[in-house]
Amino acid sequence: MAAAERDARQAGDFAVPAAVARWREAAAAVGPADRKAAEEGIRLAYRRAGLAEPERIVWAGSPCEAVTVVRGLREAGRSVREEIRTRPWAAERARLQADLGPVGWSAHWAATGARLWETTRALADRIRTGVVEESAGEARAEAGVRLVLLDAVLGQHDAPWLAAFDTERAPLDGLARVAENAGWWWPYERAAVVCERPTELHRDEAGRLDRGDGPAVAFPDGFALHAWRGMPVPAEFLAELGSLTPERIRQEENAELRRVMLEYYGYDRYLTESGAVPVHRDETGVLWRIELVGDEPVVMVEVVNSTPEPDWLRVPPRTRTAKEGVAWTFGLRPEVYEPVRET
């Protein structure tokens, strides 16, 4: 174990790898919330902040529905997110920074929260964007939705920073209990609104939202977000991927959506069925090129090898020879690339 991680474990008084695994699971959890446990956590979080417990706790099927519920609340009082989430987090961070010093804190964060930060932040950002798009029909309404979202505690999606601290004791134990059992929530003086977790979550190997045959994120009330390798796409767009043709791909005016179509359809298949012609041949393979309106051309090398099926490599549009393209995939200049033919 690295010295920095050992020191971080001692200072934080909890097991770093176990905390990361625990909160990675929480961040990606799907399925019904444990409402009893979540509500106990909410009440505990209020007490830890020195506040009276909320008079009522209202459940919503998704962050989108929760925004609607929050905007319709009456006599709920002001938001107490500052007391419940921001101040305890800041106090724990200050304590650890004082114990570890700047270098030690940096190492501790790298060993804990940083491991979950990018993928969890990207998911939370995508949900926020989806809520705004779903809820807002005009500029004034959009501003109101954004203001409500600022009051949210992210529950399971606060996992990265919860992973960096000891959440088995005050002041973060209440927040942690909610995060492990429910989704986003909104604390106000006399009421709290809390969300169910997603029913579905689909990601690719890079951790990006990704699904070609349905929503990448879905909630029990029907709120859903669609994505292909991290790029948001309309639901109706995904529905037609199974019936794509080269002509339909050429007709797509949105360059980003056309790239998704090409990835799904297969660049090699598209070249073959589009009547593309080779522009260069040499001992490494065959260079193919097809122009796309409003986008960079598709340029690929059909590599010569010993297998029955050819390998296809997409290369930069500026590529002029097959050897140049293959060399580029190895990070080499064509004059220093010397392929060895398989037999």
Side-chain angles (χ1 to χ4, degrees):
M1 181 190 303
E5 185 168 326
R6 182 178 63 250
D7 293 343
R9 278 195 186 195
Q10 294 171 349
D13 195 28
F14 69 102
V16 166
V20 172
R22 169 190 177 188
W23 289 109
R24 178 180 287 114
E25 181 178 351
V30 296
D34 184 331
R35 294 193 174 194
K36 180 180 178 180
E39 291 181 8
E40 290 173 351
I42 289 171
R43 295 187 178 96
L44 178 58
Y46 273 73
R47 296 197 300 272
R48 294 300 193 208
L51 300 171
E53 294 180 6
E55 298 168 8
R56 54 197 169 114
I57 297 175
V58 183
W59 281 86
S62 71
C64 188
E65 182 183 345
V67 166
T68 301
V69 172
V70 167
R71 298 183 77 187
L73 283 178
R74 297 293 180 267
E75 300 181 355
R78 65 177 179 85
S79 170
V80 290
R81 182 183 187 276
E82 176 77 15
E83 295 94 320
I84 282 181
R85 195 269 195 190
T86 305
R87 290 179 191 171
W89 177 87
E92 284 299 281
R93 177 173 177 172
R95 182 185 66 81
L96 265 185
Q97 285 180 322
D99 289 343
L100 299 173
V103 174
W105 163 253
S106 179
H108 176 72
W109 174 253
T112 55
R115 298 185 182 182
L116 311 179
W117 178 255
E118 290 300 329
T119 54
T120 308
R121 182 187 63 174
L123 175 56
D125 286 348
R126 180 68 188 96
I127 291 173
R128 284 193 194 94
T129 301
V131 170
V132 171
E133 292 172 346
E134 185 80 12
S135 302
E138 57 184 55
R140 181 178 299 177
E142 180 175 327
V145 170
R146 292 186 185 277
L147 285 174
V148 171
L149 288 171
L150 290 176
D151 289 338
V153 179
L154 299 189
Q156 68 182 120
H157 298 144
D158 270 333
W161 69 266
L162 288 169
F165 303 116
D166 183 356
T167 57
E168 296 300 320
R169 58 178 179 81
L172 302 181
D173 47 355
L175 287 167
R177 194 174 301 179
V178 184
E180 285 194 299
N181 292 286
W184 297 15
W185 62 289
W186 281 256
Y188 295 92
E189 285 180 303
R190 293 184 291 279
V193 177
V194 56
C195 292
E196 286 285 346
R197 295 180 294 204
T199 55
E200 294 186 67
L201 176 62
H202 302 270
R203 289 174 164 142
D204 64 10
E205 63 280 357
R208 302 172 299 183
L209 292 176
D210 179 50
R211 189 179 179 191
D213 59 353
V217 184
F219 287 85
D221 66 343
F223 176 61
L225 302 169
H226 297 76
W228 174 264
R229 297 184 181 177
M231 192 184 90
V233 296
E236 58 272 18
F237 171 81
L238 289 179
E240 71 168 327
L241 288 182
S243 58
L244 284 176
T245 64
E247 181 62 23
R248 172 65 185 91
I249 294 172
R250 283 193 293 270
Q251 290 174 349
E252 177 56 53
E253 296 179 355
N254 184 303
E256 289 187 337
L257 294 182
R258 188 164 58 233
R259 291 191 190 107
V260 172
M261 289 177 168
L262 286 167
E263 288 180 2
Y264 187 91
Y265 197 74
Y267 288 103
D268 53 345
R269 180 184 174 194
Y270 179 77
L271 288 171
T272 300
E273 297 182 5
S274 294
V277 295
V279 296
H280 182 266
R281 297 175 185 268
D282 59 28
E283 72 277 11
T284 64
V286 182
L287 185 71
W288 298 80
R289 181 185 183 93
I290 190 163
E291 301 294 333
L292 295 174
V293 177
D295 198 4
E296 64 182 21
V298 175
V299 180
M300 301 191 74
V301 178
E302 181 183 0
V303 180
V304 175
N305 57 37
S306 62
T307 63
E309 297 296 326
D311 289 334
W312 292 82
L313 306 173
R314 190 172 186 190
V315 296
R318 65 177 182 275
T319 305
R320 294 293 175 263
T321 69
K323 184 176 181 180
E324 178 187 350
V326 176
W328 175 83
T329 66
F330 288 100
L332 300 173
R333 299 189 306 276
E335 60 269 22
V336 298
Y337 173 70
E338 292 297 333
V340 177
R341 183 174 296 276
E342 299 180 56
T343 59

